[in-house]
Amino acid sequence: MTPLDDLFSTEESRAESQLEKVVTLNPAEISDFPNHPFKVKQDEAMAEMVDSVRKYGVLVPALVRPKEGGGYEMVAGHRRKFAAALAELTEIPCIVRNLTDDEATIIMVDSNLQRETILPSEKAFAYKMKLDAMKRQAGRPKNSAPLEPNLKGTRSNEELAANSPDSRSQIQRFIRLTELIPPVLQMVDDGKIAFRPAVELSYLSKEQQESLYSTMECEDCTPSLAQAIKMKEFSKDGKLTDEVILSIMQEEKPNQKEQFKMPKERISKYFAPGTPAQKIEDTIVKALELYRKRERQKSMER
């Protein structure tokens, strides 16, 4: 039987009731997205956001979804929520949307991949979460037969690459980083281990990675791409022992050059948090070239 409310409501009013509206919610009522891969840091950029929130409030509504047991779960807007909490706001604008776990995961990842600075580990786990969600969705297509497992994975990979800033092969490399143990992955985030060697190291077992990490700490060195590939091959053949790891890491790299080191805290204030080491190096070199050019001009004018 049709409910009385539907009998006496117009089509226009029923359509309006389905439209999403912006509501105000207390940040304390909104929990973080489970296993959120993007770090919310209390850095200089966050301090600027807090100042803006104090003056003008949260201008762009966050996206949340209702939880079964009450309250809400953040989908897009973790940094805005954190800034609002620091600014001691009791209300922020939100769009409440009913979403499945997979739908929420895809939106959460897409909303954060547009950020200017993203750590390798953040991209790695974000891509993995989104790909897994897309594969689950592909396995439950509406009004059609399920896809074969291999075809399902292929199509999901292609679709993910089509809507991402990275190519399909690069996305797969990022996802490989999720196989690294935390301290090694942290070295990748810190720019101490380059991306491509890190991908090769991800094929080592956890125990072998632990041994490698200990060796890197003791020898104060990191593997080149060639060394990482060599360790991967030894591991594949079941011959990568602690002694072999040490022997490989003690090899002199063909392009090994004397390194100039500077304490990170001396230059950190000039760069945004998470800036890749290579970008920092390139910027410093350009600044020195500009300085030398100006000094030459001053000498010619004397």
Side-chain angles (χ1 to χ4, degrees), residues 68-240:
E68 288 185 6
Y72 300 89
E73 181 178 279
M74 183 65 74
V75 177
H78 288 78
R79 297 183 76 250
R80 279 164 277 170
K81 173 197 164 187
F82 189 71
L86 291 178
E88 299 182 342
L89 298 187
T90 57
E91 291 183 336
I92 60 173
C94 297
I95 295 173
V96 180
R97 185 180 301 172
N98 289 308
L99 297 165
T100 65
D101 291 346
D102 292 337
E103 289 170 342
T105 295
I106 291 171
I107 293 174
M108 179 275 295
V109 172
D110 286 346
S111 66
N112 282 279
L113 281 178
Q114 309 306 317
R115 284 163 45 180
E116 184 176 347
T117 304
I118 305 177
L119 295 173
S121 64
E122 293 176 325
K123 262 193 178 184
F125 284 101
Y127 276 140
K128 186 177 188 303
M129 289 178 70
K130 182 176 179 180
L131 183 60
D132 288 345
M134 292 173 67
K135 285 180 178 179
R136 287 191 294 268
Q137 286 188 330
R140 298 190 300 269
K142 296 180 180 179
N143 304 319
S144 62
L147 297 171
E148 292 296 326
N150 290 339
L151 183 58
K152 178 178 64 176
T154 300
R155 290 188 182 178
S156 297
N157 276 283
E158 292 173 350
E159 186 179 345
L160 175 57
N163 295 281
S164 302
D166 296 297
S167 66
R168 177 180 171 182
S169 58
Q170 187 71 346
I171 287 172
Q172 290 302 317
R173 294 188 188 103
F174 270 112
I175 292 176
R176 282 298 319 173
L177 298 185
T178 64
E179 300 296 328
L180 293 172
I181 60 174
V184 174
L185 184 56
Q186 185 61 52
M187 294 181 75
V188 181
D189 279 347
D190 294 339
K192 295 177 181 178
I193 297 180
F195 179 72
R196 290 304 298 272
V199 173
E200 301 300 325
L201 296 177
S202 71
Y203 290 91
L204 273 57
S205 69
K206 304 301 181 186
E207 293 75 15
Q208 291 167 343
Q209 290 184 45
E210 292 284 359
S211 177
L212 171 61
Y213 180 71
S214 297
T215 302
M216 289 190 290
E217 290 280 282
C218 294
E219 298 294 318
D220 190 24
C221 62
T222 57
S224 64
L225 178 57
Q227 289 173 320
I229 292 174
K230 184 180 290 188
M231 282 185 277
K232 175 185 173 183
E233 291 302 316
F234 271 97
S235 177
K236 184 179 178 181
D237 294 336
K239 300 178 180 178
L240 189 63

Side-chain angles (χ1 to χ4, degrees), residues 215 218-219 221 227 243-253 256:
T215 302
C218 294
E219 298 294 318
C221 62
Q227 289 173 320
E243 292 74 19
V244 172
I245 290 175
L246 178 61
S247 175
I248 292 174
M249 292 302 295
Q250 287 180 336
E251 293 175 354
E252 184 175 353
K253 300 180 181 67
Q256 198 167 32

